[in-house]
Amino acid sequence: MTEQQDWREETREIITSLLEDGSNPDVEYTIEHHFSGQDFSRLEKAAVDCFKAEFEVTDAEELTLERGQTILCFDAVKEGPLTEEAIMAQIEQLLPIARKYGIEYDGWGTYFEE
C-alpha cells in the first residue's frame, strides 16, 4: 500500500467514525494537520511553506514523548468540509512540504460538530 493509500484509508476511517457518532456532515470543520521534527529551522521553513499554501499555522511547541525524547511540533489548519476528497486534497498539498524539509507529517484531526 502506498503512503497516499494509507492516508486515504485513515481519512475514511476518521470521517466514518465522526459521522457514526452523530457529527454534523453539513458544517465546515477545522482540519488540523500535524507536523513534527527535531530541527526548529526545518520546522520553521515548513511552516512558512504551509502559510504560503494558505493554511493557518500554529506556533511550534515542544512535546516530550513517552521515552523522554523531545520533539517540536506545529499544526497547519484549514476550514473545510468533512469529505475524503477535500481532506485528501489538503494532505496532497502538505506531504511534499514535509518531505522537502525532512520532517514528519503526523496526520490530521478535527472536532465533533453538532
Side-chain angles (χ1 to χ4, degrees):
M1 196 177 288
T2 68
E3 181 181 32
Q4 210 72 359
Q5 289 170 322
D6 288 341
W7 286 120
R8 184 169 295 281
E9 184 177 315
E10 184 171 321
T11 295
R12 192 175 300 127
E13 289 172 6
I14 293 169
I15 291 169
T16 299
S17 178
L18 280 165
L19 295 177
E20 284 177 352
D21 287 345
S23 195
N24 186 343
D26 301 320
V27 299
E28 293 280 298
Y29 281 76
T30 301
I31 309 297
E32 298 177 348
H33 298 272
H34 313 296
F35 292 86
S36 65
Q38 295 182 316
D39 185 312
F40 180 79
S41 177
R42 289 180 185 202
L43 276 174
E44 186 175 48
K45 290 174 184 174
V48 169
D49 279 9
C50 290
F51 180 77
K52 287 179 181 177
E54 300 183 354
F55 286 82
E56 180 183 329
V57 178
T58 63
D59 291 335
E61 297 180 21
E62 277 190 11
L63 179 66
T64 303
L65 303 177
E66 289 178 15
R67 291 181 249 144
Q69 180 184 16
T70 300
I71 61 169
L72 300 167
C73 54
F74 75 90
D75 291 337
V77 181
K78 192 174 261 191
E79 300 287 322
L82 188 68
T83 66
E84 183 178 334
E85 296 78 23
I87 294 168
M88 284 305 301
Q90 292 177 12
I91 292 171
E92 289 166 8
Q93 282 184 284
L94 298 171
L95 284 176
I97 294 171
R99 283 189 212 108
K100 178 180 178 180
Y101 295 105
I103 63 172
E104 294 294 320
Y105 173 76
D106 294 325
W108 67 274
T110 192
Y111 303 93
F112 183 91
E113 295 288 344
E114 302 235 353

